[in-house]
């Protein structure tokens, strides 16, 4: 097995992953950027680079490189309903339209120029954090297994990433639960889970749990989940069961250091009463929330003003954004229930969406789909809880599903990389502990993204009600200032402002 040693392994070569890899390589760190896809490629994205994206690219020294790709100019946004009502909203600055096919490739070239080793077509099979805080990443590339040993790992693997881990949860844990051993401990106990990837139907990038069993227990795996199994922690008779009064992890056990009645309890270091729950039992989504699917295609022959258009209709919405070479990106977020039976191809779904919105149908019939420029992703869950740290730092959509209605998803992805990079640098230099990195990064993400996410989700939920859509549009027509205020509320403030 080929073994590669590096300082940083960034998993996911999208916007956030490429930017942080470039940033850390420029600091002198050996950096590996890994993705299971082959690039360049088309992916579901609005391909709208907001004024905030321009500012971040400029700060990262990338604006000239991106501008050389001749992106389309975008000056305002237009909301259009199925009934034909519309309102124009000026943007706070000049935006751009550029395909991810071109943008991702440009960022990879910039990262490689900075010294990053870009490893594509490499499927991540597992990530294991060791007792010394370093990580081992197992990947499969061109049919061969490879091992990456990194001082640290950064997750930028996209919206459908999951990393369930078994272990104790301590109060003050702002991301997921830590392993047992006290606050900040990352020792991996026997039988703990690791982060692993698995290709599943409809998911372009999903990470699923794979339990690591002790070799002697593997032959008993089939019975290990039975409550009757005396070694099963869910069995009350098991010595390690959290419901067993003698279990050291039982909050009611006087011997538990986290028990307030225990004189040895350090107070602020106490574990919460939900210790020993596993991440497999934590559902990051509300079961009642609707599932969506995202689809996109490029079209030729559609004349566009320097406007990004958003069409609202029952069951979803669709955006038109001019991009390079006179093309138009057509991307939609559709309710899976509302469009069940509408067809299985991207173009069939886009046609079904256009049938629900006459102004959109009139626009799309003038253009022709560009062959090979179609992409889809499902499921899209819009109510995942914010989780910037889960064993490793998570960037962009890996930490939260940014409501597409915000129109600022790419800006948030890039900003998360900007927030994380200096902390990662300090950690690698020994100036910051792993627990300190986690604490500062989680605080920065919540402070930076909290307001845009709240307003974005509020506006997103309003689309489920046609009456609310009509009311919002009417208010925006009567008060353009209010419409601009709502748009501003969903966007990031300039770097350094909160």
């Amino acid at each position: 097995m080929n073994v590669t040693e590096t300082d940083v392994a960034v998993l996911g070569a999208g916007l956030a992953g490429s930017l942080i890899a470039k940033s850390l390589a420029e600091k002198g760190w050996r950096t590996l950027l890994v993705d299971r896809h082959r690039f360049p490629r088309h992916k579901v994205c609005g391909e709208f680079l907001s004024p905030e994206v321009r500012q971040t690219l400029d700060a990262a020294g990338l604006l000239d490189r991106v501008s050389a790709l001749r992106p389309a100019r975008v000056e305002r946004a237009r909301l259009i309903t199925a009934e034909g009502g519309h309102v124009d909203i000026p943007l706070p600055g000049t935006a751009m339209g550029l395909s991810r096919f071109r943008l991702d490739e440009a960022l990879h070239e910039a990262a490689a120029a900075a010294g990053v080793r870009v490893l594509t077509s490499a499927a991540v099979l597992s990530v294991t954090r060791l007792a010394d805080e370093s990580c081992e990443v197992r990947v499969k590339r061109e049919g061969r297994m490879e091992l990456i040993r990194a001082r640290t790992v950064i997750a930028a693997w996209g919206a459908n990433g999951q990393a369930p881990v078994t272990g104790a949860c301590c109060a003050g844990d702002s991301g997921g639960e830590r392993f047992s051993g006290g606050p900040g401990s990352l020792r991996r106990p026997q039988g703990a889970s690791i982060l692993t990837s698995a290709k599943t139907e409809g998911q372009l990038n999903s990470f699923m749990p794979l339990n690591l069993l002790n070799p002697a227990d593997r032959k008993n795996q089939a019975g290990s989940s039975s409550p009757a199994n005396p070694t099963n922690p869910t069995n009350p008779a098991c010595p390690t069961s959290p419901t067993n009064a003698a279990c050291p992890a039982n909050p009611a056990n006087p011997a538990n250091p986290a028990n307030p009645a225990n004189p040895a309890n350090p107070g602020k270091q106490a574990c919460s009463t939900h210790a020993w729950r596993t991440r497999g039992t934590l559902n990051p989504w509300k079961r009642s929330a609707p599932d969506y699917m995202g689809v996109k295609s490029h079209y030729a022959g559609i004349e566009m003003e320097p406007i990004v258009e958003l069409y609202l209709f029952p069951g979803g919405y669709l955006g038109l954004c001019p991009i390079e070479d006179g093309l138009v990106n057509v991307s939609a977020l559709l309710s899976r229930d509302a469009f069940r039976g509408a067809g299985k191809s991207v173009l069939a779904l886009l046609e079904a969406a256009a049938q629900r919105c006459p102004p959109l149908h009139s626009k799309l019939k003038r253009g022709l789909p560009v062959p090979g420029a179609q992409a889809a992703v499902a499921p899209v869950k819009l109510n995942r809880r914010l989780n910037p740290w889960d064993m490793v730092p998570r960037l962009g959509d890996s930490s939260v599903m940014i409501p597409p209605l915000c129109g600022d998803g790419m800006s948030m992805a890039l900003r998360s990389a900007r927030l994380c990079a200096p902390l990662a640098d300090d950690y690698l230099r020994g100036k910051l502990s792993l627990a300190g990195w986690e604490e500062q990064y989680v605080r920065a993400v919540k402070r930076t993204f909290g307001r845009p996410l709240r307003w974005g989700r509020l506006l997103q939920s309003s689309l489920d009600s046609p009456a609310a859509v009509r009311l919002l549009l009417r208010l925006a027509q009567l008060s353009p200032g209010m419409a601009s205020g709502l748009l501003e509320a969903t966007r990031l403030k300039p770097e350094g402002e909160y």
Side-chain angles (χ1 to χ4, degrees):
M1 179 185 295
N2 182 47
V3 178
T4 301
E5 293 191 356
T6 187
D7 294 314
V8 186
V10 180
L11 309 183
L15 302 184
S18 298
L19 179 55
I20 197 168
K22 171 182 177 292
S23 300
L24 292 174
E26 289 174 339
K27 294 289 187 180
W29 300 113
R30 296 171 301 166
T31 307
L32 189 62
L33 182 61
V34 184
D35 200 289
R36 70 187 186 90
H37 293 285
R38 185 181 301 277
F39 288 83
R41 70 186 186 97
H42 291 285
K43 65 178 298 183
V44 177
C45 180
E47 301 186 337
F48 169 74
L49 282 66
S50 68
E52 292 80 8
V53 171
R54 288 177 59 98
Q55 295 168 5
T56 303
L57 291 174
D58 191 23
L62 290 166
L63 185 57
D64 288 344
R65 182 183 290 267
V66 172
S67 297
L69 302 176
R70 296 181 298 176
R73 182 182 180 91
V74 180
E75 298 174 351
R76 60 189 189 278
R78 176 175 293 164
L79 303 182
I80 306 169
T81 67
E83 294 79 15
H86 72 275
V87 61
D88 282 9
I89 304 174
L91 297 174
T94 301
M96 301 183 293
L98 182 66
S99 71
R100 290 297 297 272
F101 192 90
R102 295 269 183 90
L103 179 59
D104 288 349
E105 184 179 33
L107 294 188
H108 290 180
E109 291 173 353
V116 175
R117 180 186 171 195
V118 182
L119 192 68
T120 58
S121 301
V124 175
L125 302 179
S126 66
V127 180
T128 307
R129 186 178 290 285
L130 306 179
D132 62 355
E133 297 185 353
S134 67
C135 297
E136 288 188 348
V137 183
R138 295 182 182 273
V139 302
K140 186 174 183 180
R141 185 168 181 256
E142 297 177 350
R144 297 191 302 271
M145 300 294 296
E146 298 184 24
L147 178 66
I148 300 167
R149 291 179 177 150
R151 291 178 59 191
T152 194
V153 162
I154 296 172
W157 49 49
N160 286 330
Q162 296 184 50
V165 178
T166 302
C169 171
C170 295
D173 188 355
S174 46
E177 294 79 37
R178 295 186 181 92
F179 285 128
S180 59
S185 171
L186 287 162
R187 294 197 298 264
R188 181 167 59 90
Q190 291 182 341
S193 295
I194 61 175
L195 320 187
T196 183
S197 66
K199 198 171 184 179
T200 58
E201 181 179 358
Q203 293 186 345
L204 298 185
N205 195 359
S206 64
F207 286 73
M208 305 297 290
L210 173 66
N211 288 329
L212 291 180
L213 299 176
N214 300 322
D217 294 337
R218 287 191 178 126
K219 62 182 179 180
N220 298 322
Q221 183 175 14
S224 63
S225 62
S226 169
N229 188 327
T231 64
N232 182 6
T234 64
N235 182 358
C238 173
T240 62
S241 169
T243 60
N244 186 330
C247 174
N250 189 331
N253 182 355
N256 181 2
N259 188 335
N262 185 345
N265 178 11
K268 293 182 181 179
Q269 303 295 331
C271 288
S272 60
T273 57
H274 55 284
W276 286 95
R277 68 184 180 184
T278 65
R279 288 182 189 170
T281 65
L282 299 178
N283 185 356
W285 305 303
K286 297 178 182 178
R287 293 184 182 274
S288 60
D291 282 353
Y292 293 90
M293 53 186 168
V295 293
K296 74 75 82 70
S297 176
H298 290 169
Y299 277 70
I302 299 178
E303 293 187 6
M304 292 282 293
E305 300 176 66
I307 297 176
V308 57
E309 297 181 344
L310 186 64
Y311 293 84
L312 311 175
F313 48 81
Y317 54 88
L318 182 149
L320 300 184
C321 182
I323 58 173
E324 73 276 7
D325 300 333
L327 300 177
V328 172
N329 181 52
V330 179
S331 58
L333 187 71
L334 308 175
S335 165
R336 298 177 80 181
D337 287 337
F339 282 82
R340 198 176 303 277
K344 294 186 178 181
S345 72
V346 169
L347 296 180
L349 289 167
L350 291 176
E351 175 61 25
Q355 293 293 340
R356 298 184 180 212
C357 185
L360 172 60
H361 186 265
S362 176
K363 192 103 175 186
L364 282 187
K365 71 179 184 181
R366 306 172 195 169
L368 293 173
V370 176
Q374 291 73 44
V377 61
V380 177
K381 303 277 191 176
L382 299 180
N383 64 328
R384 283 173 40 228
R385 64 186 177 91
L386 181 62
N387 187 17
W389 193 286
D390 198 346
M391 283 289 297
V392 294
R394 298 160 68 104
L395 309 184
D397 282 353
S398 298
S399 68
V400 67
M401 182 62 223
I402 299 163
L405 192 61
C406 288
D408 215 16
M410 286 198 277
S411 175
M412 293 186 183
L414 292 170
R415 182 69 66 85
S416 68
R418 295 276 294 172
L419 293 173
C420 193
L423 300 175
D425 179 55
D426 284 348
Y427 170 75
L428 291 167
R429 295 185 188 281
K431 298 179 180 179
L432 189 66
S433 68
L434 190 65
W437 180 6
E438 175 184 357
E439 180 183 0
Q440 292 188 37
Y441 177 62
V442 170
R443 186 190 309 123
V445 167
K446 290 182 176 179
R447 182 178 59 220
T448 304
F449 297 158
R451 187 190 72 152
L453 287 174
R454 286 193 298 272
W455 280 100
R457 286 168 175 164
L458 178 63
L459 292 176
Q460 183 77 45
S461 64
S462 71
L463 295 186
D464 294 333
S465 168
V469 170
R470 289 192 295 269
L471 177 61
L472 284 173
L473 192 66
R474 183 60 176 162
L475 290 175
Q477 290 170 334
L478 294 174
S479 176
M482 186 200 74
S484 297
L486 282 175
L487 179 66
E488 182 182 355
T490 66
R491 318 199 77 73
L492 294 179
K493 292 184 178 181
E495 291 191 36
E497 295 184 16
Y498 301 103

